[in-house]
Amino acid sequence: SYKLVNDILKLPVIAHDDLEQGSFEWHEHRAAHRNASEAGAVMECMPSWGMTRYQLYQAKMNPTITPASPPMQHGNNMEPVARQFIMDWWTRGSDDLEWIESPCYSRGDYGASLDLVAADNRKGWTFFEVKCPYKGLDSELWKKASMGEIPEYYDWQMVQQHLVSSIEFGYLFVFVDPDHTIYLPHPGF
C-alpha cells in the first residue's frame, strides 16, 4: 500500500471546476473513477446499510443513477445549511478565505468530491466532509463523533480525499442542527 500511495502521489491533481454535484456529468465522472465515498466498501468496513465490495463492483460494471434514499435525501437537504453554518463560523476573524463548495478532484483513476473547502493561501487549505445523520442525535455517527471517533468507513473516505486533492487539513463535520454540531480533525494519510 505504501508503493500505491507513492505512485498516486506522482500523478497530477486535476480540479474539475465544471462539475456540479448531482449533474449527469458528475455521475459520469463518478462512474469513471474510484471515488473516496467508495473507500469504505473497498476496505470492507462498511456498516450493514452500506455496500459490500462485491456490490460496489457490480455497480461499477452496470452504472445507473438511482433515486436518493430517505437518509440520502435528508443529507442532500441539510448539507447546504451545514455548509453555510461552517462558512459563518470558520470565517470569524478572517477575511483571507475563499470558499469552494462541492469541488471535485481526480488523480489518475481516483476521484474525490469534497463538500466544502476553505482556501487560505497563507495558512493552507482545509476541507470539510459534511455528514447530516438521518437519525440525528440517536444516530451511531453522532454517538461515535461525540466520543471523538471518526468511524472507519469515513476515515478511509477522508484518507482518499486528502490523497486525491492534496489538501493538507480536513475535518469531519457532523451537523444535526445549529445547536448540535461536531468538528473532528482528520490526520490525513
Side-chain angles (χ1 to χ4, degrees):
S1 65
Y2 181 74
K3 182 181 179 334
L4 176 62
V5 168
N6 279 335
D7 289 347
I8 293 170
L9 288 173
K10 292 176 186 172
L11 299 170
V13 174
I14 299 171
H16 301 277
D17 298 327
D18 57 334
L19 292 179
E20 182 179 331
Q21 195 170 33
S23 68
F24 178 77
E25 294 78 13
W26 179 79
H27 283 285
E28 282 185 323
H29 181 268
R30 288 185 56 79
H33 290 84
R34 299 172 181 162
N35 300 292
S37 60
E38 300 161 349
V42 171
M43 299 306 292
E44 297 184 322
C45 62
M46 290 298 292
S48 60
W49 51 260
M51 278 191 180
T52 65
R53 187 186 294 180
Y54 181 68
Q55 289 169 327
L56 175 61
Y57 167 78
Q58 289 177 313
K60 288 292 194 180
M61 293 297 101
N62 301 300
T64 57
I65 299 173
T66 57
S69 66
M72 286 181 71
Q73 191 58 53
H74 172 77
N76 292 342
N77 293 342
M78 293 299 295
E79 192 174 297
V81 177
R83 283 197 307 259
Q84 188 61 54
F85 182 90
I86 294 168
M87 290 187 285
D88 292 344
W89 183 82
W90 198 265
T91 304
R92 292 181 302 184
S94 176
D95 296 328
D96 298 325
L97 292 178
E98 175 189 349
W99 291 98
I100 306 167
E101 296 186 53
S102 306
C104 291
Y105 297 90
S106 64
R107 204 170 203 168
D109 292 337
Y110 294 87
S113 294
L114 307 178
D115 294 324
L116 185 63
V117 172
D120 184 335
N121 291 321
R122 289 183 308 118
K123 297 178 185 174
W125 288 30
T126 302
F127 76 83
F128 298 87
E129 178 55 35
V130 177
K131 300 296 179 191
C132 303
Y134 186 60
K135 294 182 180 178
L137 301 177
D138 294 327
S139 69
E140 281 301 308
L141 173 58
W142 180 265
K143 291 173 186 174
K144 287 185 177 192
S146 65
M147 295 186 307
E149 181 183 340
I150 297 176
E152 185 179 13
Y153 45 97
Y154 291 143
D155 179 58
W156 281 113
Q157 177 181 359
M158 294 180 75
V159 165
Q160 186 165 329
Q161 289 170 324
H162 282 286
L163 184 65
V164 171
S165 70
S166 285
I167 296 175
E168 183 178 358
F169 304 107
Y171 285 87
L172 176 66
F173 179 66
V174 184
F175 182 86
V176 173
D177 59 53
D179 296 321
H180 297 94
T181 63
I182 299 173
Y183 290 87
L184 293 176
H186 190 269
F189 59 92

